Amino acid sequence: MDRQKQRMTLTAAAMLVPLLAACGSEKADGGSASVGAGQPVTGTRWTVDSVTADGTTHQAPTGAHVTIDRGRAEGSLGCNNFGAEATVDGDRVRLGKTMATEMACENKPMAFEETLSRTLSDQEFEARVDGDRLTLTTEKGDTVRLTKAVDAPLAGTKWTITTPRADDRAHLTFDEKKGTVAGSLGCNKVNAEATVRDGHITLGRPATTRMMCEDSLMADEKKLLRLFDGTAKYRVDHQTLTLTSENGTSVRAVAGR
């Protein structure tokens, strides 16, 4: 099938509204949807592990996921976001044509994205849940294997900072037992006391090395340093950490990057 027919593209802005739709545990008709031993399919974020199409299995990149809820399936193909109409009836899951952003992403297997999009688009699946694993199988035997997503732990995770960008060099790791945070600001190393309590992190005065780097990195370092010597709200959403300080500094980071 022609790719243009198979994959209706949207800009990131056009996808924003449906992709930010509220998540819950209801079907579009107001009931819950479960398969197997009463295991829910809807309202759960599922990490894509692999897709088998035409007899070949492709391993999913980090970040590929899907949530089926309130009459829609939404998520990420690994780089690009996608959405489709969805219905769940017993052990049958029906997806409409996928609509996806079309960004070119470095270090991402775009061939996998095309395979997953093609496998999900305009298909009916038999769904099987076994513990925290979900398997979706088409009538011709193509299979998408998924695992229930869990939040990355705040402590012990290497959080790579994406905002400010810092060229993916900045990262932080919290040590709950020691009550510290350590890592890199993008150029210089940093460590400080860190006390976690009730959705907030109190960060002490930072101790850093004194190297000079290119201007863009140093500018990002200055922004990151504003996070310290104060209290910040934190939220972990699956693999994303958001820190917002009392002075308005906002930092986003992803796990294990």
Side-chain angles (χ1 to χ4, degrees):
M1 181 180 290
D2 183 81
R3 180 184 171 193
Q4 191 66 24
K5 294 180 181 179
Q6 182 68 44
R7 205 170 165 206
M8 298 172 61
T9 61
L10 294 176
T11 64
M15 285 295 293
L16 185 60
V17 173
L19 288 172
L20 293 181
C23 291
S25 58
E26 299 179 346
K27 288 174 60 179
D29 61 5
S32 61
S34 302
V35 296
Q39 295 287 342
V41 172
T42 59
T44 297
R45 176 169 168 143
W46 297 98
T47 297
V48 180
D49 298 321
S50 66
V51 56
T52 300
D54 300 323
T56 301
T57 298
H58 308 266
Q59 299 302 314
T62 301
H65 67 272
V66 60
T67 300
I68 302 172
D69 196 31
R70 302 188 183 187
R72 288 194 61 79
E74 296 171 348
S76 171
L77 300 169
C79 165
N80 286 282
N81 295 325
F82 76 94
E85 294 183 355
T87 57
V88 180
D89 184 9
D91 65 350
R92 313 303 295 184
V93 175
R94 173 73 187 178
L95 301 185
K97 285 186 177 294
T98 58
M99 299 184 295
T101 57
E102 195 166 65
M103 299 179 292
C105 303
E106 295 182 3
N107 303 318
K108 292 287 185 180
M110 303 308 289
F112 173 86
E113 293 209 351
E114 294 180 2
T115 300
L116 179 59
S117 178
R118 184 173 61 250
T119 303
L120 292 176
S121 185
D122 199 19
Q123 295 281 358
E124 182 171 310
F125 300 88
E126 179 183 18
R128 286 285 178 267
V129 176
D130 182 10
D132 63 352
R133 297 185 180 276
L134 169 65
T135 303
L136 301 174
T137 306
T138 68
E139 184 177 339
K140 71 173 186 177
D142 290 345
T143 302
V144 182
R145 293 179 174 83
L146 311 96
T147 302
K148 185 176 181 179
V150 296
D151 290 344
L154 174 67
T157 298
K158 179 181 178 180
W159 295 102
T160 299
I161 295 170
T162 57
T163 306
R165 290 182 59 85
D167 294 338
D168 286 340
R169 299 185 195 180
H171 58 85
L172 297 173
T173 301
F174 293 89
D175 189 318
E176 186 175 9
K177 292 183 178 180
K178 293 181 180 179
T180 61
V181 62
S184 170
L185 298 171
C187 173
N188 287 283
K189 295 180 180 179
V190 63
N191 64 80
E193 294 182 351
T195 303
V196 181
R197 184 181 295 111
D198 299 329
H200 293 76
I201 303 175
T202 300
L203 297 168
R205 188 178 298 273
T208 69
T209 54
R210 299 287 183 175
M211 295 186 294
M212 294 298 295
C213 297
E214 53 264 41
D215 291 344
S216 59
L217 280 180
M218 299 307 294
D220 286 335
E221 287 207 356
K222 289 181 180 179
K223 294 177 184 177
L224 289 172
L225 283 170
R226 285 173 50 82
L227 187 68
F228 293 85
D229 201 13
T231 299
K233 293 181 181 179
Y234 82 90
R235 182 170 65 90
V236 176
D237 182 11
H238 300 291
Q239 303 295 304
T240 301
L241 169 66
T242 304
L243 297 165
T244 306
S245 70
E246 294 175 332
N247 61 24
T249 301
S250 181
V251 172
R252 289 175 61 87
V254 294
R257 184 165 167 178

